[in-house]
Amino acid sequence: MALMRLVRARATASLFTGGFLLTRCWVLVAIAAVACGSPRSPASPVSSAVIDDFGDTIGVAQATRIVSLNPTSTEILYALGAGPKLVGRGQYDLWPDTAKRLPDLGPGIRPNVEALIAARPDLVLLYASSDNRPAARQLRGAGIRTAAFRVDSIAQFERLARLLGRLVGDSAGGALLADTVRRTLDSVRALTRQLSRPRVVLPTWEQPLIVIGGGSFLSELVTIAGGENVYDSLPSPSPTVTFEDVVRQDPDAVLLGPERGALIRLNPRWRALRAVRNGRVLIMDTSRVLRPAVRLGEGAVSLALLLHPELARR
Amino acid sequence: MTVSRWMGLGAAVLVAALAGIALGTMGLSVSESWVALAGRGDPTNIFVVRELRLPRVLLAALVGAGLGLSGAALQGVLRNPLAEPYLLGVSGGAAVGAVIAVSAGLAIALVPVAAFAGAVGAVALALFVAHATHGRGDPRVLIMAGVVVGAFANAAIMIMMANADAATVRGALWWMMGSVADATWTQIWSLAAYVLVGGVALAAFGRTLDALSLGEESAAGLGIEVDRAARIVYLTASLVAAATVAAAGLVGFVGLVVPHIARRLGARGHRVLLAASALTGAFLVILADVVARIAMPPAELPLGAVTAALGVPFFLITLRRLA
């Protein structure tokens, strides 16, 4: 029974992934049409304006030439089938594969404003880091609609999905994307509710020792997947901690990416941890849990399977 | 300095400025840039040239001129060829101010204000220490006090950065590497006021600086109130440097290297040296900014690193010729 639900969760999760996004779009459209009971009207006028995370008001007129300098918004736009409207991306926006073919406009933090203007966009999407304020000011000065959003948590992802849906004239698609991810996460949560909750630590860097804190979506994802991040109470997304404190926390497992995994196995000091001595070093599929974006559901499923391998056996 | 040297220096600044207006990621031709500068043609081109490139060039010129002036004046008043505003605590104090502002999450517009306050605070502290230990503004004590205040500032920065989150570290680091990419007209006008007023004030002390270079006793013998004059020159030069730091972050090496290049060009006497240093500094920083933005498009190099990379060879050639 549990496995059936997991498989179902996986199916919903993978709805937004894989190579043939365009095909998936049609699936989306079909679902949306059923869900809404009537065909969507793409150009439906939306009156209320949007306030971005710099506190600026963004018009909601449809965008046709978009530069996305934020990997999450790039992913969302492709999932919404709005990939053809993109005219540029940030240097690290490499998913889906199609995105790699877009012009690389350089760093997403402190971007080269002249390169952005040269792409002649009618909408630029930035990450709302304070280093991006000067760029936002200059772009608005050039008469280019510019919106900056923080995407650090699952809730912020959902908000952005709905919002981008509106900005590309596909509110239903945006809402559907947000709801689908939410439903997948809910089913993973329901699935792991009755299980024991292993306490885990998620190191991301060794010198200094940086771990995932409560401010990161990854901490939320671990909770959903039936675990508990020992540093969930720290508000920062990536706090620096002492090794001694990690030992004191005595986690049941160490959760990390493949390249860090090798480091920890080679460094004898980690053997001070009971989890490491017991071989509980769990390697995450980092491509799925890299950022709070379209593949959140998939990430939750893969984390749940990692923390609770018995789910696959049942 | 001969007239032809002056004209050559002026022409170099002009050519660098034109390159700064014509070159960038958006591949505009020279004629397109010229048309856009005149405010005609494609509105996007006009914006890029008049609101992005022109402010950068002007701010770079003012930063270079300010640091050049400040370095020349400080080397004169402290009678030390290694003297420069950054060595005397201006950069350290400004960095402490900026890092406090960045980590406190203050509005980005307040960072320059905090940097300026930090720089002035550090200079005041160095002056205070020098006077407290010696009773008067001995240049050697002043230099030591500045270096020590700078070291203290470094320690404070490291303590603040050690546990700061990634965004704060990135913001602070960016600021410490210097940049004119975010140039605004407000910054340009206020820095222009500092450089102009400061430059005139320093030039007024040109003769005093000349007399000081003969030694304190000789200067006093010429009827100069050495202490008072030194204090005014020191404060003015520091204020001008602090204003450049507030506008563009830390642009290293300019204050040290530019006066030496200007002397090499034949600038004798402090009035001439100040003017030649201002021009040389403007040239160096405009050129560095052009290199910073066209070397690795679409990314940009840190301006402070480029000025050092360009300035060091100039400096070494100067030293070689002196030897």
Side-chain angles (χ1 to χ4, degrees):
Chain A
M1 186 54 205
L3 186 62
M4 277 290 292
R5 283 163 71 186
L6 190 65
V7 168
R8 220 165 46 220
R10 264 178 148 168
T12 355
S14 62
L15 178 65
F16 294 99
T17 61
F20 298 97
L21 278 163
L22 214 64
T23 330
R24 296 262 150 70
C25 259
W26 286 111
V27 178
L28 255 185
V29 170
I31 297 174
V34 174
C36 307
S38 65
R40 294 168 305 154
S41 46
S44 59
V46 192
S47 50
S48 62
V50 172
I51 311 276
D52 77 353
D53 288 345
F54 284 165
D56 292 308
T57 307
I58 316 298
V60 287
Q62 264 207 50
T64 53
R65 291 180 63 83
I66 307 174
V67 165
S68 167
L69 289 186
N70 177 339
T72 299
S73 51
T74 308
E75 284 192 22
I76 293 173
L77 288 171
Y78 273 104
L80 293 176
K85 293 180 177 170
L86 281 164
V87 294
R89 61 165 173 90
Q91 64 188 129
Y92 299 120
D93 304 12
L94 303 175
W95 196 91
D97 277 340
T98 342
K100 293 177 186 161
R101 290 206 289 268
L102 287 173
D104 170 4
L105 299 183
I109 302 283
R110 294 200 166 268
N112 181 329
V113 173
E114 201 175 312
L116 304 188
I117 292 176
R120 300 193 181 261
D122 59 10
L123 174 66
V124 174
L125 298 167
L126 298 171
Y127 178 76
S129 153
S130 61
D131 326 54
N132 275 342
R133 277 183 191 274
R137 175 182 53 75
Q138 290 174 333
L139 286 165
R140 283 212 190 84
I144 297 171
R145 186 157 46 133
T146 305
F149 297 102
R150 282 201 164 275
V151 214
D152 299 332
S153 68
I154 296 173
Q156 284 169 336
F157 159 76
E158 288 181 17
R159 179 192 60 155
L160 186 61
R162 289 173 201 280
L163 222 124
L164 291 185
R166 285 171 69 185
L167 289 174
V168 296
D170 186 6
S171 305
L176 183 65
L177 176 56
D179 290 344
T180 310
V181 169
R182 165 63 48 190
R183 268 200 303 278
T184 312
L185 296 178
D186 284 346
S187 50
V188 173
R189 201 195 317 264
L191 202 60
T192 58
R193 186 161 291 145
Q194 307 299 327
L195 305 174
S196 66
R197 306 187 74 78
R199 297 172 69 253
V200 301
V201 64
L202 300 99
T204 58
W205 200 256
E206 274 232 83
Q207 281 179 325
L209 183 57
I210 297 176
V211 295
I212 296 289
S216 163
F217 75 97
L218 204 48
S219 211
E220 297 179 78
L221 219 50
V222 165
T223 308
I224 291 170
E228 183 195 335
N229 176 8
V230 296
Y231 290 112
D232 192 55
S233 57
L234 298 183
S236 159
S238 44
T240 309
V241 297
T242 62
F243 186 72
E244 195 173 316
D245 195 63
V246 176
V247 175
R248 185 184 68 85
Q249 296 282 355
D250 190 28
D252 300 312
V254 180
L255 206 54
L256 70 186
E259 59 300 352
R260 301 270 138 227
L263 276 178
I264 278 189
R265 290 205 180 98
L266 288 173
N267 188 339
R269 78 165 178 172
W270 283 91
R271 295 202 59 80
L273 259 72
R274 177 179 55 89
V276 176
R277 287 197 304 272
N278 294 345
R280 294 286 286 161
V281 177
L282 307 177
I283 306 297
M284 294 186 285
D285 181 349
T286 31
S287 70
R288 288 192 165 84
V289 295
L290 194 59
R291 57 180 72 108
V294 176
R295 286 173 296 175
L296 270 171
E298 261 191 279
V301 171
S302 76
L303 275 183
L305 282 172
L306 202 58
L307 293 171
H308 302 285
E310 68 271 20
L311 280 174
R313 281 198 297 276
R314 263 200 267 165
Chain B
M1 228 167 117
T2 60
V3 175
S4 63
R5 286 256 166 99
W6 279 114
M7 284 172 67
L9 195 51
V13 174
L14 205 63
V15 169
L18 289 176
I21 283 164
L23 298 174
T25 328
M26 195 148 154
L28 302 179
S29 69
V30 174
S31 62
E32 275 174 320
S33 312
W34 193 248
V35 169
L37 185 62
R40 283 177 283 123
D42 182 281
T44 305
N45 292 355
I46 295 177
F47 183 85
V48 165
V49 170
R50 286 172 62 149
E51 298 298 325
L52 294 182
R53 292 182 186 174
L54 185 61
R56 284 183 84 138
V57 168
L58 293 177
L59 194 63
L62 287 167
V63 167
L67 290 173
L69 279 172
S70 177
L74 287 173
Q75 287 176 10
V77 73
L78 297 174
R79 279 159 284 150
N80 186 318
L82 271 178
E84 61 137 341
Y86 288 7
L87 185 72
L88 301 171
V90 168
S91 58
V96 170
V99 171
I100 290 176
V102 170
S103 41
L106 295 184
I108 204 107
L110 286 177
V111 174
V113 181
F116 188 79
V120 173
V123 170
L125 186 61
L127 265 180
F128 174 76
V129 170
H131 279 256
T133 51
H134 207 261
R136 36 179 273 161
D138 182 315
R140 286 168 307 171
V141 180
L142 207 45
I143 288 175
M144 280 190 280
V147 171
V148 167
V149 168
F152 184 79
N154 262 341
I157 292 165
M158 278 189 251
I159 289 169
M160 283 187 285
M161 301 271 268
N163 292 302
D165 60 75
T168 304
V169 173
R170 194 181 50 224
L173 196 64
W174 167 265
W175 187 88
M176 283 190 234
M177 294 190 300
S179 172
V180 288
D182 306 334
T184 62
W185 290 106
T186 328
Q187 281 176 327
I188 291 169
W189 294 129
S190 63
L191 184 56
Y194 271 98
V195 171
L196 209 68
V197 173
V200 169
L202 291 174
F205 280 92
R207 297 265 175 262
T208 310
L209 288 170
D210 290 342
L212 262 177
S213 63
L214 302 172
E216 253 176 63
E217 281 82 26
S218 324
L222 291 170
I224 292 169
E225 280 184 75
V226 174
D227 247 20
R228 187 175 153 272
R231 212 164 35 234
I232 293 175
V233 170
Y234 185 87
L235 269 178
T236 311
S238 301
L239 278 179
V240 171
T244 69
V245 168
L250 301 186
V251 182
F253 223 65
V254 179
L256 171 64
V257 83
V258 158
H260 291 283
I261 298 173
R263 266 185 223 110
R264 187 63 221 159
L265 288 173
R268 302 280 176 271
H270 275 89
R271 280 198 186 155
V272 174
L273 180 67
L274 285 166
S277 295
L279 282 178
T280 312
F283 169 73
L284 180 63
V285 179
I286 296 173
L287 190 69
D289 179 50
V290 175
V291 172
R293 64 180 127 131
I294 64 172
M296 259 176 58
E300 281 194 18
L301 301 179
L303 178 63
V306 180
T307 52
L310 290 176
V312 168
F314 272 123
F315 191 52
L316 287 178
I317 294 169
T318 318
L319 284 181
R320 215 180 119 82
R321 294 230 184 113
L322 279 177

